[in-house]
């Protein structure tokens, strides 16, 4: 089975949460016999195909962006060509240009959409985009959300109950480097033996301005890992608040991230808007057995972090509540340790990459079978009279 993933950015150009999901999907389904290809946009000059962890990455030039909507003329032809070679096309939403590209490239193959998030910020442009968005979602074979919480709270997904299902994200810890003793010693010396950790791209919906307000006047060490469009604004806020206990370390490689996840006391993940549909960094904290603090925003964050069990959940954009939650975990290390143990167990029970790969592979076979059963419609890779839902 050949699957083509289409998203605006991917490794090695970007290492955000959706990119990590695509990576884990490609590695996991690859072990089950799926041949994966990723098509993405890039600002780099050398765009030769890349072999990456068992799958192939094709990149085309990014021409321009409108309201964070990356556009590429070359991607239209590339999508049409690569889709002809695939058995299933797997789209990653939201990306309005992708919806247009689907129709311009005249993709006729079985299609799956991972619905990573509603569009929250661009209200005015969203009204213009609505007809295209719903035409696209009506045209695909299956829509996948990562948590039941998001399905229940999304007005968009409520319009497509018959084709929407939940396959939660999963991670494979074996794809992460082992903690390096020298790096552990380096970071312990730099940031101290006990600290709260945030990991992620520094975007408007991450709630980091609230985290800075929460730790003002306290001595709780906070390490912020990541770069992004809000970085300078957040650093200016930290300076104005006189926060000597907050360390911005910028973007780090996987080995350094693993060292910090291993060392931290707890994960602080204050995303306050529904643009944070899940929180891969939050899931990484659970994978490393850390207690978590997150906000109740009607998304997958509260599917990962169960209040009072794996960590604490606060109202969004509430600095006093966030400060109180940090105080609780800081002053009660035994309780924090027990929550971390339960977080690690919940990760093993619910969020493994192996389970995600199995569920998506079954879905790919399902949409192929459904297309094959349509009179007069043949799906490449399926012989008439066979059952593609049955494992090979």
């Amino acid at each position: 089975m050949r699957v083509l993933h289409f998203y605006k950015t991917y490794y090695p150009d970007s290492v955000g949460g959706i990119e990590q999901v695509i990576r884990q999907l490609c590695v996991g389904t690859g072990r089950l016999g799926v041949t994966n290809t990723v098509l993405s946009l890039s600002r780099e000059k050398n765009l030769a195909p890349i072999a990456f962890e068992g799958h192939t990455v094709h990149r085309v030039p990014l021409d321009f962006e409108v309201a964070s909507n990356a556009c590429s003329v070359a991607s239209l032809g590339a999508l049409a060509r690569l889709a002809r070679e695939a058995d299933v096309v797997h789209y990653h939403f939201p990306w309005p240009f992708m919806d247009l590209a689907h129709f311009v490239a005249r993709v006729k193959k079985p299609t799956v959409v991972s619905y990573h998030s509603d569009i929250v910020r661009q209200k005015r442009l969203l009204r213009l985009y609505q007809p295209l968005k719903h035409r696209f979602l009506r045209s695909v074979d299956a829509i996948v959300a990562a948590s039941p919480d998001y399905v229940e709270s999304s007005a968009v997904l409520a319009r497509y109950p018959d084709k929407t299902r939940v396959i939660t994200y999963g991670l494979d810890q074996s794809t992460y480097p082992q903690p390096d003793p020298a790096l552990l010693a380096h970071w312990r010396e730099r940031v101290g033996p006990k600290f709260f950790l945030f990991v992620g791209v520094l975007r408007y919906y991450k709630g980091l301005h609230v985290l800075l307000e929460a730790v003002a006047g306290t001595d709780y060490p906070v390490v912020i890992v990541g770069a992004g469009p809000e970085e300078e604004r957040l650093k200016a806020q930290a300076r104005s608040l006189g926060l000597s206990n907050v360390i911005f370390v910028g973007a780090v490689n996987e080995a350094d991230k693993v060292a910090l996840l291993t060392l931290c006391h707890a994960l602080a993940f204050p995303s306050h808007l529904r643009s944070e549909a899940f929180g891969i960094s939050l899931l990484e904290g659970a994978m490393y057995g850390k207690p978590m603090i997150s906000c109740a925003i009607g998304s997958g964050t509260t599917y990962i972090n169960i209040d009072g069990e794996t960590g604490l959940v606060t109202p969004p954009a509430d600095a006093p509540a966030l400060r109180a939650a940090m105080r609780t975990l800081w002053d009660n290390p035994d309780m924090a340790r027990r929550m971390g143990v339960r977080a690690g167990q919940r990760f093993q029970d619910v969020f493994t990459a192996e389970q995600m790969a199995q569920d998506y592979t079954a879905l790919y076979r399902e949409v192929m079978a459904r297309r094959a059963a349509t009179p007069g419609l043949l799906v490449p890779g399926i012989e008439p009279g066979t059952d593609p839902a049955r494992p090979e």
Side-chain angles (χ1 to χ4, degrees), residues 212 231-243 248:
L212 297 181
E231 183 172 359
E232 292 308 315
R233 186 179 306 177
L234 291 167
K235 287 180 177 179
Q237 180 187 0
R239 287 192 297 269
S240 69
L241 292 172
L243 299 181
F248 291 87

Side-chain angles (χ1 to χ4, degrees), residues 35-58:
T35 300
N36 289 284
T37 301
V38 179
L39 174 61
S40 66
L41 279 51
S42 176
R43 290 187 170 89
E44 299 298 317
K45 296 187 183 303
N46 181 9
L47 298 181
I50 298 170
F52 179 67
E53 296 186 341
H55 56 281
T56 304
V57 181
H58 290 264

Side-chain angles (χ1 to χ4, degrees), residues 69-237:
N69 183 33
C71 302
S72 166
V73 174
S75 71
L76 303 175
L79 176 60
R81 173 176 56 83
L82 292 171
R84 285 195 295 269
E85 301 169 0
D87 299 312
V88 177
V89 178
H90 189 154
Y91 295 112
H92 295 270
F93 184 99
W95 179 24
F97 177 80
M98 175 186 70
D99 306 15
L100 178 65
H102 167 73
F103 294 111
V104 173
R106 298 186 178 184
V107 174
K108 303 299 183 184
K109 296 298 179 69
T111 46
V112 170
V113 172
S114 285
Y115 192 94
H116 296 289
S117 171
D118 293 331
I119 296 176
V120 176
R121 195 179 196 185
Q122 290 90 0
K123 300 291 187 182
R124 188 170 300 174
L125 292 175
L126 180 58
R127 286 196 293 271
L128 298 175
Y129 166 54
Q130 292 276 34
L132 174 61
K133 176 180 71 177
H134 287 294
R135 182 185 173 196
F136 172 69
L137 293 175
R138 284 194 303 268
S139 75
V140 301
D141 294 285
I143 303 171
V144 181
S147 71
D149 307 57
Y150 213 81
V151 173
E152 293 170 6
S153 62
S154 171
V156 175
L157 293 180
R159 298 178 60 162
Y160 305 98
D162 294 338
K163 64 171 64 178
T164 300
R165 78 265 319 273
V166 174
I167 300 177
T168 193
Y169 297 148
L171 301 175
D172 180 355
Q173 195 163 357
S174 71
T175 64
Y176 289 70
Q178 290 294 311
D180 179 83
L183 280 177
L184 292 173
H186 163 77
W187 284 110
R188 191 180 289 111
E189 181 178 357
R190 180 175 175 185
V191 302
K194 184 178 179 182
F195 58 91
F196 290 97
L197 177 67
F198 169 87
V199 180
V201 180
L202 309 188
R203 300 191 189 280
Y204 70 95
Y205 58 82
K206 296 293 185 179
L208 289 168
H209 62 292
V210 183
L211 177 61
L212 297 181
E213 292 175 20
V215 297
T218 77
D219 57 0
Y220 306 141
V222 175
V223 176
I224 295 177
V225 173
E230 296 296 309
E231 183 172 359
E232 292 308 315
R233 186 179 306 177
L234 291 167
K235 287 180 177 179
Q237 180 187 0

Side-chain angles (χ1 to χ4, degrees), residues 286-355:
M287 181 172 70
Y288 280 88
K290 299 299 178 177
M292 299 165 281
I293 300 173
S294 60
C295 297
I297 52 177
S299 77
T301 61
T302 40
Y303 187 58
I304 302 170
N305 185 25
I306 309 300
D307 188 33
E309 181 179 333
T310 62
L312 299 173
V313 176
T314 71
D318 188 333
L322 180 56
R323 183 185 304 115
M326 296 175 77
R327 182 184 308 116
T328 297
L329 291 184
W330 188 265
D331 292 344
N332 297 276
D334 289 341
M335 182 184 73
R337 181 188 57 79
R338 291 193 298 270
M339 286 180 168
V341 169
R342 290 193 290 267
Q345 186 58 57
R346 179 165 170 78
F347 171 82
Q348 293 297 331
D349 292 343
V350 181
F351 298 112
T352 63
E354 180 181 11
Q355 186 61 56

